[in-house]
Amino acid sequence: MVQRLGAAGAIFLPPAGRGAAPGVRIAGKDVAIQLTSVSPHTLRLTVRPIQDGKPIDIADDGTLLPAAVGAPVKWAPSGQDASRAQTVKVGDLRVAFTPDPLAFAIETAKGEKVQRIRIDQQTGVISFATGNTPILGLGEGGPQFDRRGNTERMMSGSGGYNLRNFGSRVPIPWLIGAGGWAMYIHQPYGRFDFTGDESRFQPAPVFVPGGGRGAPPPPPPADISTFALPIDLFVVASKDPAVIMAEWARLTGRPELPPLWSFGYQQSHRTLAGREAILQEAKTFREKKLPCDAMIYLGTGFCPAGWNTNNGEFTFNPKVMPDPKAMFDQLHQDHFKVVLHVAYPTGIRQFKGTVRDSCDSGKRAELQPSCYWDMHRPVLSTGVDGWWPDEGDALDLPSRLVRNRMYWDAYQLDRPNERPYALHRNGAAGMARYASFLWTGDVSSLWATLKNQVPIGINSGLSGIPYWGTDVGGFVPTAEFTGELYVRWFQFGAFCPLFRSHGRVWTLRLPWGWNQGAPTGDVANETRFTIPEAEYHNPAVEPICKKYLELRYRMMPYLYSAVRECTQSGLPVMRSLWLHYPDDPAAVARGDQYLWGRDMLVAPVLEKGAAERRLYLPHGAWYDFWTNEKHDGGREVTRKVDLETIPLYVRAGAILPMGPLRQYTAEKVDGPLDISVYPGANGSFLLYEDDGSSFDYRKGEWMGIQMAWNDARKALTLRLAAGSKMLPPAKRDIRVKMGDASKSAVFDGHNLEVRF
């Protein structure tokens, strides 16, 4: 019998009293099974062991928002017979429950099958239908692209899965079945097996590595109920990818908006030669007119001479930064932001609390954010603009999220109206609500590694990690590290949310680094590879890097608008084709290309010596970004490429805004806003703008220009978006382009129409 509790859901209880029929038991424990409606599309299934007459609480690991709990369900102590099959309506879904085998068949109100979940009553293993469409998501890293056919240990950090070729692992047990379902296994911890028609989730003890990469986990406890229970999972049902992503944001939070400068180019450094070299290198960017927004400095320990005295310390290295405030003031005058690397203290695996808690410095087994942030504050006061929190692989999941949160919350204690920036190595579900950036860690400079980064970026975005990137060029140089590989990686980086060069032999990560001769000094000691001497005198690299730096900065209006859309909808910037073409199986299956925002398709060149690139254009018409040649979609095409070109396509109906060239994102530059229209379909675009740095947009200090293209009338209309206002300058010069035609106009906040 099912006890109905209004729209909230239902509880299946073990029987009460002696002599009653046997109740449901899992792993030797009496359990209460509860179904809850989170939304019309999402249900929550919990299986909780009963202790002292009532089910235990689900532990809060910080990943879920309060809204994810769903409508409140009261515990009914009388107990009901759970020995018969029943069907329950949960939101807009129907769940058919059977006690033996313990299973939940989920259907839509129309009777469409969504999933069938089985729970083994002896082991707690959760089984579900694999399906015949790709399974996406699961966080950063691991076997790519479609998770079917693979097994996944869900281990976090550098030892999670094949660091050299894939990078660090940030496992998030959020699965997206491209056929119209998604699932989040909030608890317990475990491993996946996607190799059969029925996939399996095997609960396992939480294993936190002791620092050694690839260390085997300890044997499991004899009582499997200690790690197999409770079970807490969410199922989303929708054929609309936008709904699935919105439901994921409902559960774990919508992304926060980072500062505008964080989407500019970021130049990372390792061994520092000294004060004058540091400042001159920044000036060289300006002299060469190579756009750049941030300088990032590694800590001492990973390299002979970094910004601090040693890894994890907060004292400046006097050999390279004798007067840090004066140096940072100079960098700020040259319009660069300063980001410093911070290594998490070794040996401390627990990070608990918030920055608003009082600091208890007597605690040794764990670190408190309030205490740890106090160590940052003297350095912050010198003018630091952001942080690069490294290491922390041994932290458990709640601690990883606490660390993400600290760099968001604590920064605002000292600078309450300035958006924080932090580039993390570790994270968890929910990290986007702290505007956390993530990079893939110490990958190697290999063509195969570059190829793997594309689907990793796509799956990261689908997992609620929208601000993602990789070390341009790969961190560990190999014999494959040439100017060609660097250029292809740089081109890919220009279309990642995080655009940052970093790695050993760091001078080869400078746009002009491949034409200044072989590295010397401490930098030369990092080589550990041999390439032809001619590679150190390759004049082709810098002009190509400049081309893509300039393109990135000109496209900033489009990119920043896509970032703002991400904060509203949960849709990432770097998008799987499934998000907009779910009914096109060939598009859904492509993991070697992606959409940049809604309208642009990016197909990075991933093969050495490539003279052409095979790619798939989804249904509809598409325009080659470089030549404006029109192509019919729904088919594969072959695009010829040279070293300076990667295939970029824009869909028909797109409205693509591009600004004048800037050397940094906040530069004031005269020049019109170019709005390119690609005819062949109707289209719309919301151009978003704010001051790029503060939280004033939350108070209405933002500008939205809603654009709409009517293809039949060949007319582009512009109007001020509801809730927004014109920001200075009050009048905006625009230049609308359609093919070879161009028309100039002025937008002053009143409705405007431009016709061709």
Side-chain angles (χ1 to χ4, degrees), residues 639-662:
R639 175 59 157 89
K640 292 183 178 181
V641 296
D642 52 25
L643 184 59
E644 71 172 80
T645 305
I646 66 168
L648 301 173
Y649 289 84
V650 186
R651 72 180 184 93
I655 303 168
L656 188 64
M658 297 181 68
L661 178 61
R662 290 174 166 85

Side-chain angles (χ1 to χ4, degrees), residues 129-190:
T130 303
N132 57 6
T133 59
I135 292 179
L136 308 174
L138 273 185
E140 178 191 66
Q144 299 291 322
F145 158 66
D146 179 357
R147 304 290 187 170
R148 292 179 303 166
N150 296 312
T151 58
E152 176 52 68
R153 295 189 306 159
M154 301 298 284
M155 295 293 293
S156 181
S158 296
Y161 178 81
N162 193 343
L163 176 67
R164 174 181 171 89
N165 293 104
F166 289 79
S168 292
R169 186 77 174 94
V170 175
I172 296 178
W174 163 250
L175 320 173
I176 296 174
W181 61 271
M183 184 188 306
Y184 178 42
I185 301 182
H186 177 228
Q187 290 183 19
Y189 169 81

Side-chain angles (χ1 to χ4, degrees), residues 520-548:
T520 59
D522 289 328
V523 177
N525 294 333
E526 294 186 335
T527 54
R528 306 177 192 175
F529 70 105
T530 302
I531 62 174
E533 176 64 26
E535 282 295 320
Y536 295 120
H537 303 278
N538 187 339
V541 174
E542 182 180 342
I544 297 174
C545 290
K546 185 174 185 178
K547 174 180 178 177
Y548 284 88

Side-chain angles (χ1 to χ4, degrees), residues 125 276 279 324 334 417 459 534 664:
V125 168
E276 297 309 316
L279 297 177
D334 291 336
N417 199 29
N459 272 328
Y664 51 94

